[in-house]
Amino acid sequence: MSVIRGLLTAAAACVLLAACGSAPEAIDRTDGVALELLWVSADKGQAMYFEVDRDGDFSSGGGVSARLKQTDYSTALADGEISEFVRLTRAVVEAQRAAAGAGSAEGDDEFDCMVREGDERTRFRRVGSDRDMDALLAFLRTLSLRRFRDVIDAQPVAGERFGS
């Protein structure tokens, strides 16, 4: 009887170990591309921070939160948005590699950017933008503005007035 009990205990332990295995990896929807970008305006009056994870989650924060690299808004990106994100991000990385840190003079927008592509990381800081960086920043800002669209869309719609 104790042999059977021992075998049952061993079998139960094997089942538990299999069920408690490593957590599944997050789904990679961006072909391995992830981004962290801090943008500070030339006059230092505005700042925005953006993160896009490999699973297609977008997060952003502005003002003081951005300067601390904290986000306060998140949303999931649609497949078309992910394709555009990957295209724009890869263009920025290629432009950065070609420019080797070139940028404009003091007084221009500042960028602190880190891009992960698989196991490779590209990090750069620069003053001044270019066509590729401007396009990526505009795209990310549009995504960030969704928070306001979502708030407005959630407001009640006015109905008919009483006595009309």
Side-chain angles (χ1 to χ4, degrees):
M1 190 66 144
S2 64
V3 173
I4 294 174
R5 185 174 290 160
L7 289 173
L8 288 174
T9 302
C14 289
V15 169
L16 286 175
L17 287 175
C20 295
S22 62
E25 290 186 30
I27 297 171
D28 182 356
R29 297 178 58 215
T30 64
D31 196 25
V33 177
L35 170 80
E36 295 176 23
L37 174 66
L38 172 64
W39 166 80
V40 179
S41 65
D43 66 359
K44 309 291 187 256
Q46 297 178 14
M48 294 189 79
Y49 177 68
F50 308 97
E51 291 180 355
V52 180
D53 295 325
R54 293 175 180 167
D55 62 1
D57 283 346
F58 168 85
S59 302
S60 66
V64 174
S65 295
R67 293 173 193 272
L68 297 172
K69 294 187 175 181
Q70 296 175 345
T71 62
D72 54 16
Y73 173 71
S74 295
T75 188
L77 300 181
D79 290 341
E81 294 166 331
I82 289 174
S83 298
E84 185 68 358
F85 160 73
V86 170
R87 185 185 71 75
L88 292 169
T89 302
R90 285 186 170 150
V92 164
V93 170
E94 289 305 313
Q96 175 61 27
R97 288 177 183 154
S104 299
E106 287 292 323
D108 282 340
D109 291 356
E110 296 178 16
F111 299 88
D112 181 1
C113 187
M114 201 270 291
V115 177
R116 292 184 307 274
E117 294 182 80
D119 293 333
E120 184 178 336
R121 291 175 185 237
T122 302
R123 181 173 191 131
F124 61 91
R125 295 173 193 248
R126 68 178 294 156
V127 176
S129 59
D130 57 34
R131 179 178 45 99
D132 295 310
M133 184 61 81
D134 290 342
L136 177 60
L137 182 60
F139 175 73
L140 295 171
R141 291 178 80 163
T142 299
L143 296 174
S144 186
L145 289 175
R146 274 191 196 163
R147 78 170 41 180
F148 302 112
R149 181 201 66 198
D150 294 345
V151 168
I152 290 170
D153 288 348
Q155 298 301 310
V157 177
E160 290 185 34
R161 294 181 156 215
F162 293 107
S164 307

